């Protein structure tokens, strides 16, 4: 079967990737919601002198998560919050409520989203799409101090 004519691909490029750069990003959240980390991750990539490779983000918590989502229309984030709250509502008879009624829903929301992200770095920049941003999603009602491990693996300038 012939390949569809609507596909195209650039010529593959190869680099020697022998560098790993790591950093710990600490974020103080103000409670449930989204915190845009894109500029801070881009700064880490620049500080690492990253050229070609990938950056990985890993959040060290079970009641907050990471996601890549639209950055142009803030109602997207409102609707995502609404969807997550419908999927894991408070006071739904959860057994685990050690830290309050938002405790178990926060764990479920983390399971439904992601604890790590992997983003290509091309020519020294994050290879995000035009409308994409990197977010920490706080699933707990009260403020928390969150830690995210940033790691670049690849070639540097």
């Amino acid at each position: 079967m012939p390949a569809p004519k609507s596909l195209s691909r650039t010529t593959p490029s190869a680099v020697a990737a022998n560098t790993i750069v790591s950093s710990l990003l600490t974020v103080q959240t103000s409670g449930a919601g989204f915190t845009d980390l894109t500029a801070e991750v881009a700064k880490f990539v620049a500080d690492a002198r990253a050229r070609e490779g990938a950056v990985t983000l890993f959040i060290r918590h079970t009641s907050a998560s990471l996601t890549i989502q639209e950055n142009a229309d803030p109602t997207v984030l409102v609707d995502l919050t609404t969807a997550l709250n419908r999927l894991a509502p408070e006071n739904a008879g959860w057994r685990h409520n050690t830290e309050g009624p938002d405790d178990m829903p926060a764990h479920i929301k983390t399971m439904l989203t992601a604890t790590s992200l992997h983003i290509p770095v091309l020519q020294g920049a994050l290879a995000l799409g035009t409308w994409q941003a990197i977010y920490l999603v706080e699933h707990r009602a009260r403020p928390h101090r969150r830690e995210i491990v940033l790691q670049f693996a690849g070639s540097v300038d």
Side-chain angles (χ1 to χ4, degrees), residues 27-140:
V27 179
Q28 181 64 48
T29 69
S30 58
F34 290 76
T35 302
D36 189 340
L37 303 178
T38 312
E40 192 59 39
V41 176
K43 184 176 181 330
F44 166 71
V45 167
D47 290 348
R49 297 185 355 255
R51 188 73 194 139
E52 301 285 330
V55 65
T56 300
L57 291 80
F58 175 77
I59 190 162
R60 299 168 64 168
H61 304 279
T62 60
S63 58
S65 59
L66 301 167
T67 191
I68 295 175
Q69 272 300 330
E70 180 174 328
N71 65 1
D73 183 349
T75 63
V76 169
L77 302 180
V78 173
D79 288 343
L80 289 171
T81 300
T82 299
L84 287 171
N85 288 337
R86 287 180 183 164
L87 291 168
E90 290 186 19
N91 303 314
W94 309 113
R95 291 182 181 183
H96 176 71
N97 61 3
T98 306
E99 297 178 35
D102 67 339
D103 196 0
M104 190 62 213
H107 294 301
I108 294 168
K109 292 170 187 177
T110 298
M111 182 179 72
L112 293 171
T113 50
T115 55
S116 66
L117 299 174
H118 181 91
I119 303 160
V121 174
L122 302 174
Q123 298 175 358
L126 296 169
L128 293 170
T130 302
W131 307 114
Q132 290 182 316
I134 303 164
Y135 293 98
L136 178 156
V137 190
E138 176 61 68
H139 300 300
R140 300 302 304 274

Side-chain angles (χ1 to χ4, degrees), residues 15-21 45 48-52 152-157:
V15 297
N18 58 0
T19 301
I20 296 175
V21 180
V45 167
R49 297 185 355 255
R51 188 73 194 139
E52 301 285 330
F152 170 77
S155 66
V156 296
D157 285 334

